[in-house]
Amino acid sequence: MTGALHTGLVLLSFMVICESEPTHAGPDSLEDPHGTSRLVHQTPHLAFQLVNESLAFSRADSVCRGQFSSLASLNRSEERQGVLELLQQAGHHSPIWVRSPQKTSSELGTLSEQYSQFQALNFPKDFGEGFARVSMSFPTMPSISVCVRVQWNQDWSEVSTIFSYAAPIFTNEFQLRGQVDVQGRVLLALIIHGKHMPYKASFPNDGAWHHICVTWRQSSGHWAIYVDGDLRDTGSSASTSRDIFKDGIFILGQDQDSFGGNFTEPFFGNITDLNIWSTPLEKRHVASVNTCSPITQDVIFRWNPHYLSIHPAVKVVQVFLLCPAESQQVALQACRTLQDGPDQPPQVGLSDCSDPLPFICVSNRERFLKMKQMRDAQNARPTVFMSRLMELSNRSQTVLGQQQSALGSLAQASALLDASAQALEDTQRDGLQPTDMLSLIQLLSLAADAPVDPPPNATGQRQGSVQDLSQSFITVADSIIREDNAHKWQAIKEVVNGPMDVVRSIDRMVTSLSPRLMAETDHMTIHSPNIKLELHHQHLETGFRGSRFCGPQTEKATDPDCILVPYQKMQDLQDNGFQRLTLVNTWYGSLRPLFNPEENITMVPTVTDGSQRYLGTVLGSSVISTTVLGDDQPVSTAVHFQLRHRVQNPSGTVYDPVCAFWDFDLIPEAGGWWNTRGCEVVSKQSGYTTCYCNHTTNFALLLQVYEDQRSQENERTLQVLTFIGCGVSLCGLLFTFILFIAVGVPKSDRTTVHKNLIVALAVAELLLMCSDWVSANEAACFIVTALLHLFFMASFSWMLVEGLLLWSKVVSVNISEDRRMKLYYIIGWGLPVLIVAVTLVVSVDQYKADQHCWLNMETHTIWAFVGPVIFVLVVNAVVLCRVVMVTVSSARRRAKMLSPSSASKMQTFDLTWAVTRPVLILLPVLGVTWLCGVLVHVSVVLAYIFILLNAFQGLYIFLVYAVYNSEVRNAIKRIKEKRKALSFTNCSQPTSFLPSQRAPITSWGRSPPTPSSPETSETSGPPSSSSTSLVIKNGTQPILGHTNPTPPPPRITDEATGVYSKDICYGYTIRVYTKTMR
């Protein structure tokens, strides 16, 4: 125990120590505390460390990862050049381990790698009828193995058939098909004697070549699928107990719905190296074929395009494949090596992964120097924690020279973790220093990679020791991520990517140890103050229980953090052939950083209503995760999770939650970053948010922070004012509509347009007042949202019609009233219905907002309302400007016709009134006041002005077009005079009445005209010379008892000004004056 403990204590020290930066051509010579020789070479951006201690490939990779670096690869030119320079400077000519690239790189060709040229079949996506047929006769096959290399088209995700074998009496004899899932993986499934096996085996849809082998044996019904040499899926079925029929047709790239024809489900991509055997290959045979080693025994078909009948759409192309395959090699556990000879170019080769070889670790140069600086500080003055940890070891048993750079067993890892947990408890008051945190993070990384194979003399105590190790592991991890250490991460941020490095080590440890932990129990929970870990094992064939996992309960929180794998997803896993399921759930309570500018997360803000200013995005919840192991294989499935908001709202700020997960592959050099792909908000409550994600990983809530531009008092005041205004407007609109109907206002196009506008606006405001009452009912809220959208769009459409009608009066467009009204109805009602219908069809899932009954402002759906409204307001603003120009011109002409003595006094007043009067009259129906809505976020004063102008729009319409409208007032006066006339006559049914001589010409807000105020047009004088002017005037001369529904205005002659012309619109007349110049 003490020897293992001391070994681990040595590993807590930094394994890479640089006494000084290099000042000479050769590499620095370093030595670890346990005697291992290391050489360091630095470039402007990278640091390379040659470790002459020979380790197996997996342990070498673990050592580099524990040093916050990575095993050297040859992917980048700078990295490749640095590796070769270090080997040349050190004079090292024996092989070293290097990491395999993710994809074949053309840059590696200069290193004399062993590439093989193949003839491949290209199945283009432009032609779906391409296929290739194997031109040979097949015997009856009690067993079969088929291997093929496939390069999948990354733009194709539908079900595709790689090959199909059809017999004359049964078409779906033997077939391999694939499809792409939401995670970007190609899932594979076999069809044997018509029975479809589950989609479980997979490979990434990365555009690279992948080697696939499928085997089947009739005697046992056993089948298997291998991908790149690894066994990915296996099973057996009693329904496959007969032989595969002979004389069949083998087709590449198509499914045969009939014998040799009716092709469906085409494959797109490249296929090569097809080989068929009449025996089931074992794993070692598959590994050999994967490395391009031929197996000639029991072969039926060997790859040769000359023995294929190829459709014209399929092209034969030349490809170069690395043999063995370019992913991490599995044939004989072969891993990639690099050897730099003195008189020959560097050679890339393969060696057994268990062979001990030296290796090179590569890290960022700044990280390397920061580690040196912190190590020097630790050596000069050890911390309290490190001093206590060294005291717990037995210094009399010094075996430093015999120790290796990785933990060799679980016992060694457990001893070191136990000692670290004890030292943490003893030094709890002093706390951890940044260097201590860095050492413990290294320890967790190494312990997570410790070998899990049990020793030969393991006893029944094995289960307990693994549980103790897991508990110590969680205790040490908890001490690092606790909230007290949040500010200390800044001191080591150049070396460590952050708390998610600890999360990744926990994920690796639990996934590795889960079979051992679940060997004797189906449920296990490990607690610590900031971490809760739960493992749950289920046998799907006996039924499955609930998969809900929740974080620890607190007295204040009634809704804990929880995550759930839906029942249907569990059922899908069972349907896909999985028999055992292990759920690994983890909750982290202290990963959230403090809110400050340095910890702001870059993210595009969601759309707001203009009342808030975006400040940034922060981590605002605990982190919760689920890992699903199906038959001990990681599988991805959809999950629901609920997380409480963990950020306190400072005064004047609000938060908008976003569902996200930590993607370790997003920015690899930074250890990953937050990603929202595949996640969406299901519901938002005041203290928590529910999310859905279509995969499993580590989840959290990101809160987008906004500065509230208005206080809560102002918000409440504006809401109350809006409600009151809508109520008053609704009453005003109803009274106006009733007056138009009851008093018998003469029918005209303008009154018809008024009535439609009133109806649309009244219904919209009534729905707006009732929308909060139905927000709790999802279906009712959706219907109210659609109706609000429809009637507000209709309101603005009729406002547009008001503007078009006014324009036609001013510009005198020659169009009949009947045709004009048909066009107006299409614009007023048809256009809103079309807009709402198209919006619902295009974005029905994103139509409604989450928390209220209105359009979703976080998507582009809101533009289905904002876009048309802006267009209407711009058009009506142009119309209003045109009317103002006409009235100003008229006022100027009037001023010129006045006597010089009164001209200067009257001109300013007339011009001001000429501008003010049409604006006051036309604003309510043109809706131009809604333009100030784009400025409400600038100031709360503008928000009040916007509410006053638009919430009381119905009241304005009532005052202007009912109370002060001459048509309404004259109609009421005619009713009064009718009643008065009836009271003074003996006739029971009078047929006509004399016109009233007392009906004056009424002006809105001004006294009746005088002879000095010209109000007529079309002078009857001689046409020698004249001047014309326009002015808007309220009033028409009513003719009592006139038989026409719309009585024509009287012609009033004035010797000074001319003759009255015509009534233009809205009960207000534009009169043209002509002055005869003598």
Side-chain angles (χ1 to χ4, degrees), residues 407-476:
L407 298 177
S409 66
L410 287 179
Q412 190 177 359
S414 180
L416 184 53
L417 288 170
D418 289 342
S420 300
Q422 182 63 46
L424 286 169
E425 182 178 355
D426 296 342
T427 61
Q428 186 174 3
R429 290 186 177 181
D430 300 288
L432 290 175
Q433 298 303 314
T435 54
D436 299 332
M437 294 171 59
L438 192 61
S439 298
L440 290 177
I441 294 172
Q442 284 183 291
L443 168 62
L444 294 179
S445 179
L446 293 171
D449 294 327
V452 297
D453 293 333
N457 58 350
T459 65
Q461 299 179 349
R462 185 190 315 157
Q463 174 80 5
S465 64
V466 175
Q467 292 184 10
D468 293 341
L469 181 148
S470 302
Q471 181 65 64
S472 299
F473 196 103
I474 296 300
T475 300
V476 173

Side-chain angles (χ1 to χ4, degrees), residues 172-240:
N172 292 325
E173 272 290 79
F174 197 72
Q175 183 181 132
L176 177 65
R177 54 172 50 190
Q179 66 175 0
V180 180
D181 68 355
V182 295
Q183 303 301 316
R185 301 174 305 168
V186 180
L187 303 178
L188 301 173
L190 268 176
I191 296 179
I192 306 173
H193 299 333
K195 182 176 181 180
H196 201 303
M197 305 304 171
Y199 284 103
K200 289 174 60 177
S202 67
F203 61 86
N205 186 17
D206 53 6
W209 284 94
H210 293 277
H211 187 252
I212 305 170
C213 283
V214 296
T215 67
W216 171 78
R217 184 193 298 271
Q218 175 270 333
S219 58
S220 62
H222 183 270
W223 56 268
I225 301 179
Y226 297 84
V227 178
D228 296 331
D230 282 327
L231 178 62
R232 298 296 176 88
D233 192 15
T234 184
S236 60
S237 175
S239 62
T240 61

Side-chain angles (χ1 to χ4, degrees), residues 357-389:
L357 293 178
F359 54 96
I360 291 178
C361 296
V362 182
S363 65
N364 181 277
R365 187 171 185 266
E366 294 180 0
R367 175 176 294 178
F368 176 81
L369 296 177
K370 181 66 175 180
M371 291 178 67
K372 172 192 176 301
Q373 177 186 354
M374 298 183 70
R375 179 57 188 165
D376 290 345
Q378 181 75 289
N379 288 337
R381 181 176 297 178
T383 63
V384 175
F385 166 77
M386 189 59 68
S387 299
R388 177 57 182 158
L389 186 59

Side-chain angles (χ1 to χ4, degrees), residues 667-939:
I667 309 178
E669 61 273 13
W673 198 244
W674 293 108
N675 197 342
T676 60
R677 178 174 50 87
C679 295
E680 60 183 25
V681 174
V682 176
S683 65
K684 301 177 185 177
Q685 305 298 329
S686 58
Y688 63 91
T689 298
T690 303
C691 302
Y692 168 84
C693 289
N694 60 8
H695 54 276
T696 54
T697 183
N698 300 284
F699 303 103
L701 291 180
L702 303 182
L703 299 183
Q704 293 192 331
V705 187
Y706 297 88
E707 180 182 14
D708 199 353
Q709 301 295 299
R710 299 190 288 264
S711 65
Q712 294 184 355
E713 292 77 10
N714 282 327
E715 284 291 339
R716 285 194 294 267
T717 303
L718 289 172
Q719 291 176 0
V720 171
L721 193 60
T722 300
F723 190 85
I724 295 175
C726 288
V728 173
S729 293
L730 183 59
C731 295
L733 292 170
L734 290 176
F735 287 144
T736 305
F737 188 81
I738 292 172
L739 282 174
F740 275 20
I741 299 298
V743 303
V745 175
K747 292 183 179 180
S748 64
D749 52 0
R750 64 173 178 269
T751 57
T752 302
V753 172
H754 286 342
K755 292 176 183 178
N756 281 275
L757 173 60
I758 290 170
V759 170
L761 195 57
V763 176
E765 293 191 349
L766 178 62
L767 289 170
L768 181 62
M769 295 174 65
C770 300
S771 61
D772 287 341
W773 299 342
V774 298
S775 59
N777 189 314
E778 189 72 18
C781 188
F782 187 90
I783 294 173
V784 169
T785 300
L787 292 176
L788 275 172
H789 188 195
L790 173 63
F791 282 99
F792 267 116
M793 279 305 311
S795 300
F796 281 96
S797 297
W798 282 107
M799 292 179 196
L800 175 63
V801 171
E802 295 273 9
L804 297 177
L805 179 62
L806 180 58
W807 183 269
S808 69
K809 297 292 186 180
V810 173
V811 184
S812 299
V813 176
N814 294 322
I815 183 172
S816 65
E817 184 172 339
D818 291 339
R819 293 177 56 192
R820 186 166 56 200
M821 285 310 303
K822 291 179 180 178
L823 176 62
Y824 291 163
Y825 275 113
I826 292 175
I827 295 175
W829 293 112
L831 188 59
V833 170
L834 178 63
I835 292 175
V836 173
V838 171
T839 306
L840 285 172
V841 171
V842 173
S843 58
V844 64
D845 295 332
Q846 300 177 337
Y847 184 72
K848 188 186 77 67
D850 293 328
Q851 296 180 339
H852 51 274
C853 303
W854 184 235
L855 300 179
N856 193 344
M857 300 184 67
E858 298 180 3
T859 63
H860 297 297
T861 306
I862 188 63
W863 285 101
F865 176 74
V866 175
V869 167
I870 292 177
F871 173 77
V872 170
L873 297 182
V874 170
V875 171
N876 284 353
V878 173
V879 172
L880 182 59
C881 292
R882 175 63 174 166
V883 172
V884 170
M885 292 171 59
V886 169
T887 56
V888 169
S889 177
S890 175
R892 286 177 176 174
R893 291 190 180 95
R894 286 186 61 198
K896 290 181 180 179
M897 289 184 288
L898 296 175
S899 59
S901 58
S902 60
S904 58
K905 299 178 181 179
M906 296 294 296
Q907 185 174 9
T908 302
F909 176 79
D910 284 348
L911 288 176
T912 303
W913 186 244
V915 173
T916 305
R917 188 173 192 179
V919 171
L920 293 177
I921 294 171
L922 300 176
L923 276 181
V925 292
L926 296 184
V928 181
T929 54
W930 286 76
L931 281 174
C932 63
V934 299
L935 302 175
V936 293
H937 65 282
V938 176
S939 170

Side-chain angles (χ1 to χ4, degrees), residues 58 60-71 361 445 449 508:
S58 60
D61 185 58
S62 175
V63 168
C64 291
R65 185 165 52 245
Q67 298 174 27
F68 311 107
S69 58
S70 61
L71 195 64
C361 296
S445 179
D449 294 327
R508 296 204 317 269

Side-chain angles (χ1 to χ4, degrees), residues 48 132 431 478 497 844 861 910 988 1044:
F48 301 84
D478 183 275
N497 295 317
V844 64
T861 306
D910 284 348
S988 60
N1044 293 331

Side-chain angles (χ1 to χ4, degrees), residues 518-586:
M518 294 288 98
E520 300 179 7
T521 182
D522 290 338
H523 186 270
M524 178 181 295
T525 302
I526 300 176
H527 278 285
S528 71
N530 299 300
I531 302 175
K532 180 181 178 181
L533 173 65
E534 180 183 86
L535 290 90
H536 192 68
H537 188 71
Q538 300 186 25
H539 293 274
L540 297 181
E541 65 272 12
T542 60
F544 37 86
R545 301 174 296 278
S547 60
R548 181 180 176 88
F549 164 76
C550 293
Q553 294 275 2
T554 61
E555 296 181 358
K556 297 181 180 179
T558 58
D559 298 296
D561 302 325
C562 295
I563 192 167
L564 168 71
V565 178
Y567 178 89
Q568 183 59 47
K569 300 302 179 182
M570 305 272 284
Q571 183 68 53
D572 292 343
L573 292 174
Q574 184 182 22
D575 295 341
N576 287 335
F578 290 99
Q579 299 177 356
R580 303 183 314 278
L581 205 65
T582 303
L583 300 177
V584 181
N585 302 303
T586 318

